[in-house]
């Protein structure tokens, strides 16, 4: 097996994938689901989230706010339709409802 030969390390893979997905604008629900879909053990998944926390990359509200800013430009006056569109995007990307509300509420114009 590749892992026995030292060519594959599940913890390193999980941490790397989690970091990559978080940087790309995916939330914790999406990341956890993807890691599980790769057949990684619970310990590797938890290690990946611990690694994100350790590096300060687990501020999900800030990441959600960032994604809305990147997708919709500088947040000015957000219409109700734009708020709904941003909320849908964040939910699809794996952010919790609480995080979505906090991110949308914290945008200027609310």
């Amino acid at each position: 097996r590749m892992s026995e030969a030292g060519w594959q390390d599940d913890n390193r893979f999980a941490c790397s994938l989690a970091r990559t997905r978080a940087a790309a604008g995916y939330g914790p629900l999406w990341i956890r689901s993807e890691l599980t879909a790769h057949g990684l053990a619970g310990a590797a998944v938890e290690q990946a989230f611990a690694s994100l926390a350790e590096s300060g990359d687990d501020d999900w509200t800030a990441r959600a706010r960032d994604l809305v800013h990147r997708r919709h430009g500088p947040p000015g006056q957000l219409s109700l339709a734009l708020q709904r569109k941003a909320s849908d995007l964040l939910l699809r990307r794996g952010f919790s409802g609480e995080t979505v509300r906090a991110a949308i509420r914290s945008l200027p114009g609310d």
Side-chain angles (χ1 to χ4, degrees):
R1 289 182 42 138
M2 287 176 38
S3 59
E4 292 167 0
W7 294 349
Q8 177 184 334
D9 181 326
D10 285 350
N11 286 337
R12 193 171 57 232
F13 172 72
C15 291
S16 174
L17 185 62
R19 239 187 342 272
T20 301
R21 294 301 186 255
Y26 288 92
L29 302 175
W30 176 284
I31 294 168
R32 186 173 300 278
S33 176
E34 185 173 359
L35 291 172
T36 304
H38 278 285
L40 296 169
V45 173
E46 293 313 313
Q47 175 61 40
F49 279 94
S51 174
L52 286 174
E54 204 174 279
S55 62
D57 291 330
D58 66 340
D59 184 346
W60 301 112
T61 303
R63 288 194 170 278
R65 205 177 305 122
D66 221 30
L67 180 60
V68 170
H69 179 79
R70 284 196 323 249
R71 284 295 174 99
H72 300 292
Q77 294 293 329
L78 292 179
S79 66
L80 188 57
L82 187 55
Q83 288 179 24
R84 191 170 26 253
K85 191 174 184 178
S87 295
D88 289 346
L89 169 68
L90 294 174
L91 289 170
R92 279 193 315 273
R93 286 292 188 102
F95 291 94
S96 70
E98 183 180 321
T99 300
V100 170
R101 282 188 293 281
I104 299 297
R105 237 185 273 125
S106 68
L107 294 172
D110 277 355

